[in-house]
Amino acid sequence: MQEQIVEKMMSEVMAQLMQKQEESKAAPAEQPEAKACRMPEFVGTAIGDTMGLVIANVDSALLEAMNIDKRYRSIGIFGGRTGAGPQVMAADDAVKDTNTEIISIELPRDTKGGAGHGSLIIFGADDVSDARRAVEVALNNLEEKFGDVYGNPAGHLEFQYTARASFALNKAFGAPIGKAFGLIVGAPAVIGVMLADVALKAADVEVLGYASPAKGTSYSNEVILQICGDSGAVRQAILTARDVGIPLLESLGGPAPSSATPYI
Amino acid sequence: MQEQIVEKMMSEVMAQLMQKQEESKAAPAEQPEAKACRMPEFVGTAIGDTMGLVIANVDSALLEAMNIDKRYRSIGIFGGRTGAGPQVMAADDAVKDTNTEIISIELPRDTKGGAGHGSLIIFGADDVSDARRAVEVALNNLEEKFGDVYGNPAGHLEFQYTARASFALNKAFGAPIGKAFGLIVGAPAVIGVMLADVALKAADVEVLGYASPAKGTSYSNEVILQICGDSGAVRQAILTARDVGIPLLESLGGPAPSSATPYI
Amino acid sequence: MQEQIVEKMMSEVMAQLMQKQEESKAAPAEQPEAKACRMPEFVGTAIGDTMGLVIANVDSALLEAMNIDKRYRSIGIFGGRTGAGPQVMAADDAVKDTNTEIISIELPRDTKGGAGHGSLIIFGADDVSDARRAVEVALNNLEEKFGDVYGNPAGHLEFQYTARASFALNKAFGAPIGKAFGLIVGAPAVIGVMLADVALKAADVEVLGYASPAKGTSYSNEVILQICGDSGAVRQAILTARDVGIPLLESLGGPAPSSATPYI
């Protein structure tokens, strides 16, 4: 019953919000953002309670505690409460565009009571301006990567596609560098199993990985399929899964709109 | 403080809901349910954001990725955001009644911000009609299995009992096939420890398993006791734990009603 | 988007609560608390949906199932939905003041949809009065330990400090007995990485441990730094991290007040 209550709360409160929002459009500038912005380490924030920071000279004891072999002088820090795939995709763009490396990608069980992951991604660089640039690119590109994340109170679906995977996707999902890569996520996991089957039947793609609640996830309620292959085939597999996934998720929790603007 | 705020939100919003519900009883039929229903793979939905699906001819690459040895032609998929015990119990009824096997049971850390698990259960069958039948039985029996799930904003209690365990309970909890089995869950875990002690003192039962946040759960805030023995003794142990658990949970979070209709 | 919705819900509902609370100050005494209080095992409840219980003669089958070597006659049980650091700190006070030992400390992934942990701490004693006293001390001291927990809908920060660590801090974090110890937690984890760097640069302290979403936590969205050293240095490191952490968290989720009264 608990989830039905939460669902009802959600829609009830949302209805009231509509009204309120009309009334109070012009909120005053926030003080804390301003205060944080004055820190040289602060880069910015984005969708999914995501934040980007940069450290020019990382403390050597911290590097040791983090168990990082290579001694980077500067690191970029990028991650949020909601979303792993979108942040990894945005970080992938960032390593393509900058002189940085991916040090680590960790996926907490989060999404603030949702069914999925949050994220913590660390970039390494010899120069702080490179690290900062990587975090800026990731922050700027993040909203786009939420374009094919669809959600409602019952769960979420996520689809990611790139014609040319780079180091972040390689680190997180074993994607071959420079090849087309696709990610298909269904939550609750029951939907994800079906999307995996649909995707693999839709086109001639190769399975890179299959993660489920007990294996490969941080106990999230997701099934995650990672695929590679010919770019057209990968895209076809994803689009077919999306067509099947949305009505399934909507049958469980009502309308499941995109979190931003679909890009695939 | 956060949980107190959530608690207050809950009760506040609930009060308003009562009003609203009076007004709008006759909601129009939902489109997405209708659309999903037309898919041959869709079997149905149930309490706990639970869904049931069936795949007639599973893709062989998917079977391989799922690491399933035996090559089933058809699979049934059954699971939800909220609840593991109820879904396992319902699946246990399903394997008793149908020509299917339990391929896997996985327990995500979920319940939508609650203290417990969600579920992903996969049935294997040679014939799609068997797989579908298993999922139907599980969906139909699920609400009953939520009968002895009691919850409030502070946590939940779960009690399950069967006089004759089958393959799902064996797979998930090591229950001896054909013997009486009981499950006692307390969340937060502090309550579960006490219920385990009370149950074991109440009757001559055998401990099959004891799961706690760091061992045997997916880091849920639960202690889960699994018992077997004489059916009368198992039932007695459960009923005693229930009598102790409800006032304890209520002392923390207010009234803790059954999620459906108590069956034990 | 989901988290923005939750955030808005939060503030909207909170506003309405203000009104309601004015109206209904004098709630009637709760029945369930009274009923639970009559159990001899019930010790009390506290902030964070925390409960304290005591078992005079633990069932031997339970001790075995819990995998406890030493045969304590009595146990104290202490833990909650929200908070691990505060409960461990309060338990640390309790073992200092009583003739008990820490049997186990387990950290579920919880905080009711928040980014952190809950807790389950078990005290062992030969005499039930000792176990009860330990739980009482822990319950009484808990609110103080929430003093430097700061939160908003986007995450939380936690700071703990003691001039003299005891057995609970040793068990949970490897703190040297009798030495100054500090704990610095940032959630989402991205903030925690930065706080760790700031703290280590601020004073000459030693790193005891560094936990992140994939290592050392229960997949929480936190980075947790554990430090020891000269008491002045430990305190200085913590205070510097706090000064940096609060504006960062506030830039993500608005005002992040203390959960109680700051004590460091």
Side-chain angles (χ1 to χ4, degrees), chain A residues 92 96 162-170 174-182:
Chain A
D92 207 57
K96 279 180 195 164
T162 177
R164 193 169 66 86
S166 188
F167 297 98
L169 288 168
N170 179 262
I177 308 285
K179 295 285 177 59
F181 170 81

Side-chain angles (χ1 to χ4, degrees), chain A residues 6 14 21 23 95 98 110 120 126 166 175 196 198 201 219:
Chain A
V6 170
M14 284 311 288
Q21 281 178 332
E23 297 162 25
V95 286
T98 61
D110 206 339
L120 174 62
D126 291 329
S166 188
V198 163
K201 283 171 177 163
Y219 296 114

Side-chain angles (χ1 to χ4, degrees), chain C residues 182-257:
Chain C
L183 190 73
I184 292 166
V185 181
V190 63
I191 294 178
V193 177
M194 169 113 177
L195 299 195
D197 184 71
V198 163
L200 293 175
K201 284 172 176 163
D204 183 23
V205 294
E206 190 188 328
V207 178
L208 284 171
Y210 171 92
S212 60
K215 274 178 286 179
T217 67
S218 303
Y219 296 113
S220 71
N221 201 337
E222 298 173 308
V223 159
I224 305 174
L225 184 74
Q226 301 126 46
I227 53 175
C228 64
D230 169 75
S231 66
V234 170
R235 208 166 163 276
Q236 183 55 42
I238 291 169
L239 295 178
T240 308
R242 190 175 70 181
D243 284 351
V244 169
I246 292 175
L248 280 180
L249 181 58
E250 293 192 334
S251 76
L252 206 52

Side-chain angles (χ1 to χ4, degrees), chain A residues 79-130:
Chain A
R81 292 288 309 275
T82 298
Q87 280 86 346
V88 173
M89 288 290 289
D92 207 57
D93 287 353
V95 286
K96 279 180 195 164
D97 286 8
T98 61
N99 190 20
T100 56
E101 290 180 43
I102 297 287
I103 293 179
S104 64
I105 297 177
E106 300 186 46
L107 308 187
R109 174 72 183 87
D110 206 339
T111 50
K112 298 179 125 177
H117 293 103
S119 45
L120 174 62
I121 299 172
I122 300 185
F123 299 96
D126 291 329
D127 192 289
V128 64
S129 64
D130 288 327

Side-chain angles (χ1 to χ4, degrees), chain B residues 128-214:
Chain B
V128 64
S129 65
D130 288 328
R132 174 177 290 274
R133 184 74 196 123
V135 173
E136 282 169 355
V137 171
L139 285 167
N140 289 340
N141 291 14
L142 186 59
E143 180 140 341
E144 185 197 36
K145 311 303 187 187
F146 269 93
D148 286 287
V149 177
Y150 303 84
N152 64 23
H156 62 266
L157 308 170
E158 180 183 348
F159 307 96
Q160 301 288 356
Y161 167 77
T162 178
R164 196 169 64 86
S166 188
F167 297 99
L169 288 168
N170 178 262
K171 182 114 189 168
F173 304 115
I177 307 286
K179 295 285 175 63
F181 170 80
L183 190 73
I184 293 166
V185 181
V190 63
I191 294 178
V193 177
M194 169 114 177
L195 299 194
D197 184 71
V198 163
L200 294 175
K201 283 172 177 163
D204 184 22
V205 293
E206 189 188 329
V207 177
L208 284 171
Y210 171 92
S212 60

